[in-house]
Amino acid sequence: MLNPLDQFRTMVNATMETAQRFASLSCDEAQRLFKLQMDALGAVFVSNSKHLKSLLDNGDAKKAFAQWTEVAEANAQGWVDIQRACNEVATKSQTQWLSLVTEGMGAFGKAYLESLALLTGKAGAGEEKSQAG
């Protein structure tokens, strides 16, 4: 027999589980990105502090300018590497989000078809349609 309260309870539980998985995924990815950025910032700060001291100690303007150019190029490459790593994290995150959304939509569609079949008295009709589609 069709019990709307049980169906609603099942749907809410499934929705809550999916929401918790989304929240967990979001927190994990934010933590990865934050750590990546903080590690990069720390490395750049240490590197620039070291190079700044040597630049200040250098009396030759040409050598100082050449050294500063090298430091700037190294920093630019470092930021490109960090951006690449952040993009990898974002791509992985997008794939996981898509998987969760697809999984949720599939479960919702199946539950909807089953409910519709029960309401119309055609048990198994939802199963046939989902296999055909």
Side-chain angles (χ1 to χ4, degrees):
M1 175 123 205
L2 178 64
N3 185 345
L5 187 57
D6 286 341
Q7 282 184 316
F8 181 72
R9 189 175 296 125
T10 301
M11 186 173 55
V12 167
N13 287 341
T15 303
M16 287 300 295
E17 181 182 319
T18 301
Q20 288 173 338
R21 290 172 62 194
F22 273 117
S24 176
L25 175 62
S26 297
C27 288
D28 290 347
E29 298 307 316
Q31 185 178 14
R32 280 190 197 105
L33 286 172
F34 183 77
K35 182 178 180 344
L36 227 154
Q37 292 170 345
M38 291 307 294
D39 290 348
L41 186 60
V44 167
F45 181 74
V46 168
S47 174
N48 283 348
S49 297
K50 185 183 350 173
H51 286 96
L52 185 59
K53 180 160 176 35
S54 70
L55 282 172
L56 293 174
D57 292 343
N58 192 343
D60 186 6
K62 287 182 183 181
K63 285 183 182 179
F65 184 73
Q67 186 179 3
W68 185 250
T69 303
E70 290 173 15
V71 170
E73 287 175 359
N75 283 345
Q77 183 59 48
W79 286 114
V80 167
D81 294 342
I82 294 303
Q83 185 61 43
R84 189 174 295 125
C86 288
N87 286 341
E88 288 173 8
V89 169
T91 300
K92 180 181 174 190
S93 179
Q94 286 174 339
T95 302
Q96 291 173 331
W97 274 76
L98 180 61
S99 175
L100 283 175
V101 169
T102 304
E103 181 182 306
M105 294 299 282
F108 174 77
K110 182 179 178 185
Y112 178 77
L113 288 175
E114 288 173 357
S115 297
L116 187 61
L118 286 172
L119 286 173
T120 59
K122 298 179 183 176
E127 206 172 279
E128 293 169 9
K129 287 187 180 187
S130 65
Q131 289 176 355

